[in-house]
């Protein structure tokens, strides 16, 4: 089991930046991902990172703007979000999945979830 706690959300103007953090406790040998849910929409895959950090996979909508990284000593995953757009407004969830290093791009593939952090981008 792993427990996940997100932080770093907030309100930012379009074009601005935010960095989200996800602190993991318990068993931490998991690949991680970020998933977001906008109002009235289903949860959407954003980005994946393998346990080692050597493999990442981004949704097309964030490629080139968002960067995922992890620090396995601190058991923390980061999501650096630059050039934010109003359509990035959503609750962002950190998620974990065990197993191999095959990129997990489907929301249902993740086993453990944080409580979410709100990101609001104003135009």
């Amino acid at each position: 089991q792993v427990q996940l706690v997100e932080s770093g959300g907030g309100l930012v103007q379009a074009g601005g930046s935010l960095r989200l953090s996800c602190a993991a406790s318990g068993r931490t040998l998991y690949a991680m991902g970020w998933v977001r849910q906008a109002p009235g929409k289903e949860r959407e895959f954003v980005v994946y990172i393998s346990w080692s950090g050597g493999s990442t996979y981004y949704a097309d909508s964030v490629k080139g703007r968002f960067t995922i990284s992890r620090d396995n000593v601190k058991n923390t995953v980061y999501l650096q979000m630059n050039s934010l757009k109003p359509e990035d407004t959503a609750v962002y969830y950190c998620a974990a999945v065990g197993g191999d290093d095959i990129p997990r791009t489907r929301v249902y593939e993740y086993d453990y979830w944080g409580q979410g952090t709100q990101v609001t981008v104003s135009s």
Side-chain angles (χ1 to χ4, degrees), residues 1-107:
Q1 288 259 352
V2 60
Q3 293 77 45
L4 306 172
V5 179
E6 303 97 333
S7 60
L11 173 64
V12 65
Q13 288 188 333
S17 298
L18 280 175
R19 189 175 82 153
L20 306 183
S21 298
C22 173
S25 60
R27 288 191 62 199
T28 55
L29 300 179
Y30 289 93
M32 303 290 289
W34 287 93
V35 171
R36 67 186 181 186
Q37 187 168 22
K41 295 187 177 181
E42 294 185 351
R43 289 191 182 187
E44 171 193 28
F45 167 80
V46 176
V47 61
Y48 160 93
I49 187 167
S50 62
W51 177 82
S52 68
S55 176
T56 58
Y57 192 92
Y58 293 86
D60 288 343
S61 57
V62 306
K63 202 173 293 183
R65 300 188 297 122
F66 290 11
T67 303
I68 191 170
S69 61
R70 66 188 299 162
D71 183 335
N72 285 343
V73 173
K74 296 182 178 179
N75 293 330
T76 302
V77 174
Y78 304 98
L79 182 62
Q80 178 67 42
M81 305 186 296
N82 298 329
S83 302
L84 282 161
K85 304 175 182 180
E87 51 263 45
D88 294 318
T89 295
V91 176
Y92 282 71
Y93 296 91
C94 175
V97 57
D100 53 34
D101 282 349
I102 296 174
R104 310 291 180 171
T105 63
R106 295 176 177 82
V107 172

